[in-house]
Amino acid sequence: MTATAAMTSGRRTSEPLIALGLAAGPVVALGFTRFAYALLLPAMHDQLHWTFAAAGGMNTANAIGYILGAATSAWWARRLGGSAAFIWSLLISGVMLLATAVTGNYAALAAIRFVGGVSTAITFVVGSALAARIHTGNRRHRPAMLVAIYMAGVGIGIVLSGVVIPATIAGLGTAGWRFGWLAMGILAALALPPAIWAARRTPAPAVAAAGGHEKIRLGPLAPTFVWYVLFGAGYVSYMTFVIALLHSEGLHLGAQAAFFIVLGIASVIGTLTVWSRITGRLRQGHAPALVSVIVLIGVLPVLIWQGLAAALLSAIIFGATFMAGPTAATVLARRLLPAHNWTAGIALLTVAFSVGQAIGPLVSGLLSDTSGGITKGLWLSVILLGVAAVVALLQRDRPALPPAATTPPGAIANR
């Protein structure tokens, strides 16, 4: 084996490890900051005397920050460098988790959640772009697999939340919500070293030809933008209030923990073994449409039936599929945009996603405060996901870009 072949082989071997290290980003950005809130919501709702609209408003504050972070993430990546933007935003995200434990004041918590939304969006968007750049060869399906490893971090974060937070609440009662956030902040600090290691080993971004000022053209992704707004609103409404629904039905804390852990495990397994293959093979808008339909099916068991069996069935179906949405969006951006526009394209798609995530919990919370209760609010998810599936089918592929335009250089480390 020649020295060049040995280096290439070593590079391919290390690619999954780099993707796994980057997965520390979504562990914190979504697994802890976004989804752990669902587990802590019943205790915060009871002790802080919130309405469901107020509870949804807290996630809306986080989502508005997420919109700002997503909109500026490409700028931060250019200004600081992709690796530095990823690492610093991850650090700030951990600090915000710790800060959430400090106060019960609604305005202060909303401000903290807003700042956390900004930082976690930068982490997630820049990390997605870094993951999309790991593979520098021409193996068609490998980029989707590496992006899927990165997205699997969300499921890992959900599993960790499902283990730690219910144990904290069980030991300390409703007041334990503060220690739940504290534990998430400590785990976020532990996620920093692998994230730093991986970020420093990703290839440098490609640059635009002829002066580097080529305008980004997002027209080919227009249906995906609309789909992502609807999908974001639909899936996050479920993730925000499903634990509150199970709590209202009398499921004990252990059952709630089991639901969350099963959902997280299903997310990791489904993202890695199923969607890493499907999103790389399906063309046009078929992948996001399929994802929307299966996520919709995953919401139905807790709306039609009560009890632990229905909850676990919902956790398996929904959990195995929901993170395929960001995976599909990232793969589409990689396929339809030139390489130097990947970060900006992913960022703008994430803005669309965040708009949905800002609107969904607030509207769902308002519906949940009416006579129909939380179940009425969660039917909003079903409607939005159904419309999202139809819109996704409008997405079309354009002819593939030549390899020189899509393959970033792999020899330079992005430090």
Side-chain angles (χ1 to χ4, degrees):
M1 179 181 294
T2 65
T4 301
M7 289 178 63
T8 301
S9 177
R11 172 74 191 172
R12 288 177 179 172
T13 301
S14 66
E15 285 175 350
L17 292 177
I18 294 172
L20 187 60
L22 292 175
V27 165
V28 175
L30 294 180
F32 293 168
T33 302
R34 176 60 59 86
F35 298 138
Y37 177 64
L39 280 170
L40 291 160
L41 175 58
M44 297 177 77
H45 176 268
D46 290 346
Q47 191 181 56
L48 301 177
H49 308 293
W50 288 350
T51 63
F52 285 115
M58 194 62 65
N59 242 15
T60 296
N62 182 256
I64 292 172
Y66 208 87
I67 293 170
L68 179 60
T72 60
S73 57
W75 182 85
W76 286 111
R78 289 193 302 270
R79 185 172 181 83
L80 302 177
S83 295
F86 176 75
I87 292 165
W88 279 105
S89 61
L90 183 58
L91 175 62
I92 294 170
S93 300
V95 172
M96 290 302 101
L97 288 170
L98 294 171
T100 311
V102 173
T103 179
N105 179 270
Y106 188 87
L109 282 171
I112 292 168
R113 294 284 288 166
F114 171 81
V115 174
V118 174
S119 62
T120 54
I122 296 170
T123 298
F124 185 72
V125 171
V126 177
S128 297
L130 293 176
R133 295 204 305 262
I134 294 172
H135 181 61
T136 57
N138 294 313
R139 297 172 65 181
R140 177 181 170 188
H141 304 302
R142 191 168 179 84
M145 184 270 287
L146 295 171
V147 170
I149 292 175
Y150 171 78
M151 296 296 177
V154 177
I156 295 170
I158 290 173
V159 171
L160 291 172
S161 301
V163 171
V164 172
I165 291 175
T168 303
I169 300 295
L172 299 172
T174 56
W177 66 264
R178 294 180 186 271
F179 292 93
W181 286 116
L182 180 64
M184 294 298 97
I186 293 171
L187 289 173
L190 296 176
L192 269 174
I196 293 171
W197 174 86
R200 289 178 173 174
R201 284 161 178 80
T202 55
V207 296
H213 297 292
E214 182 178 330
K215 184 178 180 181
I216 183 169
R217 299 177 62 186
L218 297 174
L221 284 169
T224 297
F225 277 93
V226 179
W227 161 75
Y228 220 13
V229 172
L230 295 166
F231 181 80
Y235 102 93
V236 84
S237 297
Y238 171 92
M239 284 298 294
T240 300
F241 292 110
V242 65
I243 293 294
L245 174 65
L246 301 181
H247 178 73
S248 70
E249 292 175 352
L251 265 68
H252 55 79
L253 200 58
Q256 297 171 32
F259 168 87
F260 222 65
I261 292 169
V262 168
L263 188 149
I265 293 172
S267 176
V268 173
I269 295 174
T271 302
L272 291 178
T273 64
V274 179
W275 295 108
S276 63
R277 300 174 183 273
I278 292 177
T279 54
R281 286 174 167 80
L282 292 180
R283 314 307 292 177
Q284 305 185 78
H286 295 162
L290 180 61
V291 169
S292 299
V293 170
I294 298 178
V295 171
L296 183 158
I297 293 170
V299 175
L300 293 177
V302 295
L303 297 178
I304 298 174
W305 304 293
Q306 293 187 9
L308 182 58
L312 293 180
L313 178 61
S314 179
I316 291 169
I317 300 172
F318 184 98
T321 310
F322 78 103
M323 279 313 297
T327 303
T330 301
V331 170
L332 277 169
R334 191 185 194 280
R335 190 164 72 225
L336 299 181
L337 298 176
H340 59 272
N341 282 160
W342 287 349
T343 300
I346 293 169
L348 291 173
L349 279 169
T350 306
V351 170
F353 193 41
S354 305
V355 169
Q357 291 181 100
I359 297 170
L362 184 58
V363 176
S364 183
L366 289 169
L367 290 172
S368 297
D369 283 327
T370 65
S371 59
I374 304 173
T375 300
K376 183 178 180 180
L378 288 184
W379 276 107
L380 177 67
S381 292
V382 175
I383 296 170
L384 291 172
L385 290 166
V387 177
V390 175
V391 171
L393 291 175
L394 301 176
Q395 178 65 58
R396 296 290 182 265
D397 280 349
R398 68 178 187 180
L401 294 167
T406 59
T407 302
I412 303 173
N414 180 23
R415 297 180 185 273

